[in-house]
Amino acid sequence: MELSKKEIKNEILGKLKRHFGKTLEEASADQIYKSVALSIRDLIVDKWTDANKQVVRQGLKRVYYLSAEFLMGRALVNNMVNMNLYDDYQEVLAELGLCLDTVEEQERDAGLGNGGLGRLAACFLDALSSLDFPATGCSIRYEFGLFRQKILDGEQIEVDDNWLEFGNVWEIPRPEEQVEVKYGGELEEVWTESGLKIHHKNFYSVLAIPFDYPVMGYMCKIPASLRLWSAKAKTGLDMTYFNRGDYARAMQERELAEVISKCLYPEDNHQQGRLLRLKQFYFFTSATMQHIVKKHKENYGDLHTLPSYCCVQINDTHPTMAIPELMRILLDEEGMAWEEAFDITSKMFSYTNHTIMVEALECWNEEMFSSLLPRIYQIIKVINEKFCDKLWTVYNGDFDKVSRMSIVAYGEIRMANLCIAVCKKVNGVSQLHGEIIKARTFRDFFVVFPNKFLGITNGITHRRWLAKANQSLTKLISNHIGDGFLKDYTKMDDISNLLTNNEFLDDFMKVKYENKVRLRDYLKRTQNIDINVDSVFDVHAKRLHEYKRQLLKVLHILSMYNFKKENPDMYMQPCTFIFAAKASPGYARAKNIIRLILAVADLVNNDPVTKDTFKVVFIENYGVSVAEILIPATDISEQISTAGLEASGTGNMKFMMNGAVTLGTMDGANVEIFDAVGDENIFIFGATVNEINKMEKFGTYKPSEFYEQNSDLRAALNMLIDGSLNVANDRQFSDLYHSLLFSDMDRADKYYLLYDFAAYSIAFNNAIYAYETKDEWKLKAATNTAKSGIFCADRTIHEYNQKIWHLTRMD
Amino acid sequence: MQIEQYMNITKRFGILLEWIDGDNMENIDFSKCIVHDSTKESYRKPLGAQKCGTTIEIRLSIKDLFVQSVYLVTLNKNKKSFHEMYHDEDTLVAEYETPSKPCVIWYYFTIKLSDSTKIFYGASMNYTSGLGKAYFNQPPSFQLTVCDSDFITPNWFKKSIMYQIFPDRFKKSGEDTLNVGAQYHRNKNRSVRIHKNWEELPEYMPAENKMFYEPCDYYGGNIQGIIDSIDYLCELGINVIYLNPIFEAASNHRYNTSDYLTIDPVLGTNADFNRLINICKERGIEIMLDGVFSHTGDDSLYFNRYANYEELGAYQSKESKYYNWYNFMDYPNVYKSWWGFETLPEIVEENQDWVNYIIEDDDSVIKTWLKKGVAGFRLDVADELPDKTIEQMRTALKSVSQDKVILGEVWEDATTKESYGITRQYALGRGLDSVMNYPLRNVIIEFLCYARSAYDFKKFLVSQNQNYPKEMYYSLMNLLSSHDIARIRTILATKIDPHDLTSQQQAHFIVTKEQDDMGDKLQRMAVVLQFALPGVPSIYYGDEVGMNGLRDPFNRKTFVDKDCDIKEFYKAVANIRKREPALQTGKCVFFAQDDDVISIMRFCNGTKDAFDNLTDDKMFVIVVNRSEHHKQFAVDLFGDEQIYEEKDRQYFRDVDFAYANCMLTNNSYELNFGLLQGKIEPYGTLIINVEWI
């Protein structure tokens, strides 16, 4: 992909001229961004088109990664990095008097995801492509991504994320590949010469229009595809109503149809099955499966060979309906017999679980489901029947167990159980999570199908999270070991050889400092907040959820505040406590925790005794682009979820890769970070899964005992209700206080904050002591980066491929 | 008739019922609305065979079905009784008291639906325990074994490992004994043909000038040979030797006894035998003898057809004191004989003279040998002996010592065995301590040869566990080969049915190297299963060095010791078994997982074994993968498995499991929340020691 700087310049100016009729001087910032983006897009699309032809010619198997979310972030600079054109573009833009960072900021984040799950899907596409595996991600082209978060008057305000407002240069609409998705109606059984046929009548249908996005891997042979389906009414306007002058009615059908791809639901771990959500999931899975079948017939003819040419990974249960949908196509449209269709289907799918708590597994109301998707419902019932027959013999008539394991029961349809019944493999996303789903979440299934379950630890793409987000560090590393590690992650291990090189370690800390300055400038520019770059940057950045324990961090800040107030003359290491978290709009307690963080910030940042030592910062609108600035600047990475509740976490990997030292519990992938870096290079605290399990089993945990015995903790907790914090309503935080000490609906302190508080304080102090010993710290920080190779998504993809997909790379 | 009349249409499993014509009730499957699993405490408590006069709670669970009344129907012999079941929380229950005399009770349920239609619930077809099924007609019954309340079998025997020796073929020490013995028999005009070469094939065709094949070829294995092998046997870990007949007789197998009180001179003298007993005692090894009492040889001290003995025999004169032992139809040449073989005149066991001579006199045959230190008898063809005779034998034997063992040759399930139209009582506490467990051997072969899935194998194991009285279950002689059947290795290696082959074909049958390698793999699995199960594992001589052989006489080839991996494997497994009480008298639970993997959990907890004897706490989980694939296995130690008692499950829920290590490979296994899991190789066997705090 050779492109000289001169050509780049001509391309950009040419695009400006042809697409916008502007010269550089006249062009708006948006037009400049688009011209730059289009110049590189052309290169990608050329390659992409050729490669996809090659895939068919070589008869390569393709993985379809189905996910309701893809949290892609911005594409422009990432594509430059992956095509090794970053420096050239930067120079060309400089010659044109432009700054690449400014150009980049014109691109809207593709925020089609809530958090880890969607980001994982995005990292996987990058890694699949970088490794030259044929891959297509499939999802919905949500018109509105996850809400944008503003902080106003001490609380979170949600603003819509109209990311397509100014168009999207990366997408290629493919209206010729549109398919029809049918909802509602009734079924009619008809006996024909070739047996029983199901006729679906009186349904209403929606068109699914695909928009394809090339996802450019690093120096790759085949860009991956991200196919996003957009809903469109079959008829634009109902002319009957229109001619009568009933314009509202004439538009109605269109609106009803198009609302399907309107917006992404914010997750809150306890969502009620909503009708629109169900429509969304069926919409993109049906469209995808129809597309897969159609393509296969075009390319290879016989559907019996489908499993040899493609496999489908279901990312969490949202896309589960792809399974009965494929059955439906094979049975009703292709006229196969049940066994024949099921044989094909059962070879195609695998399922990635992200959930630990059984009660958080996705369920749909049976009535709602059957009226929206009558045929899919019928197919699920038959799968269920056959599945239960098997379980009945295995579990010898254990009513309760079989009904717990069945797919349809008590008026609910349980998507995880459907996945387990049909899928070839079911995987957890870290080793610990893999063990927990075997031993707890899906224990009864595991005992029957032990060969189905496995754990594959998540990974992150080091192209985006190192090469793009932390260019200074990437340069530093490349200067020593070359840039081969960007293609071959195992070369990252070579960084270990540099850990004895003092010059490298000093440079490493210089890079860290530069990144802290970058964050400081960013915060100044965006939120007008000043932070001290010489303080420790202690960062807790992830979705807001009780189990992730932002509240524990806040209580600890309060206790440090109290300590400083009692010992005003004692020197304490200056700390900047940074939070970044979106709370689901419907998750009241989470939003209240944001209020609390802001109130504590108000207190600590303005108290003359503490304001020069401690600073509490809440960064607005945490997303991919914010993370790219925040993570490289971090000293301490807070990964403090209650042990056993975080499936993997991927933030923890991004931080450690960028030289932050983890302060965390033995949870999710933290366990593997611990294994990788060794106990001197991580600060572990708190109850283990086994300890918590024991407390749960015997009901021995009494948070009030900790409240009584630990005076620091008590003082911090009391501040939530004693008026110390400046809030309009002085009972604002009594719910939080209450939830930790008293049980009513739920057990008190369900997430063991009080239990872990003392251990956290000690671990935090240890981290601070270590930070103060600069020589010690730089080695710890650099060791974290050096050991981060195994957390590259490339390693994850290799594992998926060896254990589940069995794809071959394109040559 | 609409189905709604019966059913509160259930949402329990989404789809639960199948019916083809809505109107035809026969098409409704009620099996998922009604449940009784005779092997779960929630349906039958206490579990398993019971002593006389025990109260048992029998429960039936009915879901989503409207019923008028439900009866438990019990059958004792042909007497039917009805017990109305009453509601107790979500189940129906009846309390049933077992009869005061040992017997086998059969039971099923009748259910009257709300519209008075009657349906039945009984055992699944071909099973007498486990999960049942709904029927529209008289169903198969569940078995409830009721045994004598004083039934007890010797503890030492339950903990034993047995070694079976066919004496002529095990080991020869010196030439003199054979020469003396051969001369002795020749003097009595008996055929004696001596093999010069220890390793040549046994005769299987009529000898020169003979009409029929006779088992009169001798290799000269002898008592001194066994004495010389004591170190070998000790190394193998065995502690009881079962000797095929050793009394004087006119054949190499000696099932045609000539003299119950004399050791056959080919084997040695009575003094040699006494020496064997004493030396074995010193080394902690017991000797069991083959008791062939349903018939004698015609060429015997008692029948004396050929006047080889001085004393007057039954054939010679009606005056003979043995005359009444036999049943002559037309004296002297027509008499009742075993399966019509004239050489084997049958005994009239009701005859008191015989009873006195063999059983009851202070110097009876049985007592004589027992007093010399013999540990017990294996009764040849126990089915030919009346229950009363076996009971008399038990009394006599136990009068010498409670530690003596009486074991019967029975080929089927001994609790339900019928012979000559009579349901046999010998397994119910007043007869035998133990029987040869041929059914287990057959099922192990079926499992390993893919004729039976792990699920079906488990059903069998569960049914043996539940149907045998516990005392007998833990004493069953668990054999894989014997002098009457083909050797296990050959069957597993070739998967052949030896009954399909003539003697000549068997003689020339060659087990290829490839087959033998497969046999080796499968034999190891069979051995691990044999040693993992409750009961007394019995090694038929030579199996431990990988001997092959089809049916008699090819299963009786001479023993040649050799160093081989399978022998080391036997030693390793036997020594684990010997060391670990949990594997001897620990409780057990069985787990099947897909078609290929079976697991057996054995444990002692709360410092008690299955008989409440004081024991160290310990658990083993034995896993066997018959397939050629790597498998993941998972055993749920908290699972609601059949025959797993609630108090044990609760016990393990409350302990902290520390680690799980395989005794054979030393690999360790994951153990989270009571879920034991790991990988098992193709044809793999694991003996995992699970420790807790």
Side-chain angles (χ1 to χ4, degrees), chain B residues 108-315:
Chain B
Y108 61 90
F109 306 88
T110 62
I111 298 130
K112 205 183 207 181
L113 298 179
S114 50
D115 72 337
S116 300
T117 314
K118 207 163 124 185
I119 58 170
F120 300 87
Y121 190 90
S124 295
M125 283 294 178
N126 303 323
Y127 287 95
T128 60
S129 68
L131 178 68
K133 259 180 88 74
Y135 295 85
F136 292 100
N137 300 305
Q138 178 93 2
S141 299
F142 294 100
Q143 181 177 348
L144 168 57
T145 306
V146 180
C147 68
D148 193 284
S149 28
D150 296 329
F151 188 23
I152 191 166
T153 60
N155 228 7
W156 72 267
F157 190 66
K158 296 171 189 137
K159 295 174 168 290
S160 293
I161 300 171
M162 185 183 269
Y163 191 81
Q164 180 185 348
I165 290 176
F166 191 82
D168 186 55
R169 309 289 157 84
F170 181 61
K171 185 159 170 79
K172 175 161 83 168
S173 177
E175 298 293 330
D176 296 352
T177 319
L178 176 58
N179 292 337
V180 170
Q183 199 52 53
Y184 174 85
H185 286 301
R186 282 182 183 134
N187 291 344
K188 289 189 157 41
N189 229 0
R190 294 169 179 161
S191 299
V192 175
R193 289 182 302 281
I194 290 177
H195 289 278
K196 289 277 177 278
N197 181 351
W198 178 257
E199 294 187 38
E200 70 194 17
L201 205 60
E203 287 182 8
Y204 57 91
M205 298 289 287
E208 257 178 275
N209 311 323
K210 298 277 182 183
M211 281 280 282
F212 301 104
Y213 160 73
E214 353 162 282
C216 292
D217 56 322
Y218 292 82
Y219 288 82
N222 55 26
I223 288 171
Q224 186 58 44
I226 298 173
I227 293 173
D228 292 350
S229 306
I230 290 292
D231 286 343
Y232 175 83
L233 296 172
C234 285
E235 253 178 69
L236 257 185
I238 69 108
N239 67 320
V240 52
I241 299 172
Y242 153 45
L243 293 174
N244 282 105
I246 55 169
F247 304 144
E248 183 185 325
S251 72
N252 61 26
H253 56 59
R254 306 186 177 91
Y255 277 98
N256 48 345
T257 319
S258 298
D259 179 352
Y260 285 113
L261 293 170
T262 310
I263 302 294
D264 192 296
V266 175
L267 294 173
T269 62
N270 283 19
D272 291 337
F273 182 72
N274 291 342
R275 227 157 24 83
L276 172 67
I277 296 251
N278 291 334
I279 289 168
C280 283
K281 279 255 145 62
E282 281 168 25
R283 306 293 294 264
I285 295 177
E286 301 286 346
I287 303 280
M288 281 182 68
L289 296 182
D290 216 324
V292 189
F293 298 122
S294 96
H295 51 262
T296 65
D298 59 348
D299 183 1
S300 63
L301 178 65
Y302 320 102
F303 201 75
N304 211 6
R305 180 168 185 156
Y306 309 104
N308 272 330
Y309 296 90
E310 282 174 20
E311 210 171 337
L312 205 56
Y315 182 84

